[in-house]
């Protein structure tokens, strides 16, 4: 679930809470860094489509459309020693979520995400 709100106190407002169905594709390569630890840099691509949620937008009193389709690129790095995995990944999208019909004070709105991973491998 990604969400944001902007425009408090101005004539343009945008509030969005959208649940996305995300279809990722990523590639990584594990490199040994000693004492059983490996580092795995990853790079990928994803497609996402909003399947649930609420989006409302107004510009000077008129409603506007907001895109719920999203594409982007995840980049990350993960460390593991066959028992523990830790990592971080950043996602940045290419699609303007505010669409061509709605500009927030002339700016473009994009989704982004940061994931921190910690896990134990059985």
């Amino acid at each position: 679930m990604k969400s944001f709100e902007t425009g408090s106190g101005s004539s343009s407002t945008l509030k969005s809470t959208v649940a996305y169905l995300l279809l990722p594709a990523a590639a990584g390569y594990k490199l040994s860094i000693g004492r059983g630890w490996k580092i795995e840099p990853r790079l990928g691509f994803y497609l996402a489509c909003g399947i649930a949620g609420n989006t409302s937008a107004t510009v000077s009193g008129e409603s506007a459309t907001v895109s719920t389709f999203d594409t982007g690129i995840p980049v990350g790095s993960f460390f593991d020693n066959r028992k523990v995995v830790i990592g971080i990944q950043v996602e940045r999208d290419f699609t303007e979520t505010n669409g061509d019909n709605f500009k927030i004070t002339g700016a473009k709105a994009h989704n982004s995400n940061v994931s921190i991973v910690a896990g134990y491998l059985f």
Side-chain angles (χ1 to χ4, degrees), residues 67-83:
S67 174
T68 56
F69 177 75
D70 193 12
T71 62
I73 183 170
V75 177
S77 186
F78 297 81
F79 297 88
D80 78 74
N81 68 353
R82 294 187 179 157
K83 286 290 181 189

Side-chain angles (χ1 to χ4, degrees), residues 4-16 56-58 102 104-105:
F4 63 91
E5 182 173 1
T6 186
S8 299
S10 72
S11 63
S12 301
T13 61
L14 173 63
K15 182 176 182 179
S16 178
S56 63
T58 57
F102 180 61
I104 304 168
T105 63

Side-chain angles (χ1 to χ4, degrees), residues 25-102:
Y29 185 76
K30 288 188 178 184
L31 302 166
S32 180
I33 56 175
R35 294 190 177 196
W37 283 91
K38 294 181 181 178
I39 184 171
E40 180 185 358
R42 290 185 190 171
L43 177 65
F45 181 78
Y46 69 86
L47 298 172
C49 183
I51 57 171
N54 184 16
T55 300
S56 63
T58 57
V59 180
S60 302
E62 296 181 29
S63 63
T65 60
V66 177
S67 174
T68 56
F69 177 75
D70 193 12
T71 62
I73 183 170
V75 177
S77 186
F78 297 81
F79 297 88
D80 78 74
N81 68 353
R82 294 187 179 157
K83 286 290 181 189
V84 176
V85 62
I86 55 175
I88 188 166
Q89 180 169 296
V90 177
E91 294 178 0
R92 175 73 168 134
D93 82 327
F94 302 132
T95 309
E96 287 182 47
T97 55
N98 57 344
D100 294 332
N101 300 326
F102 180 61

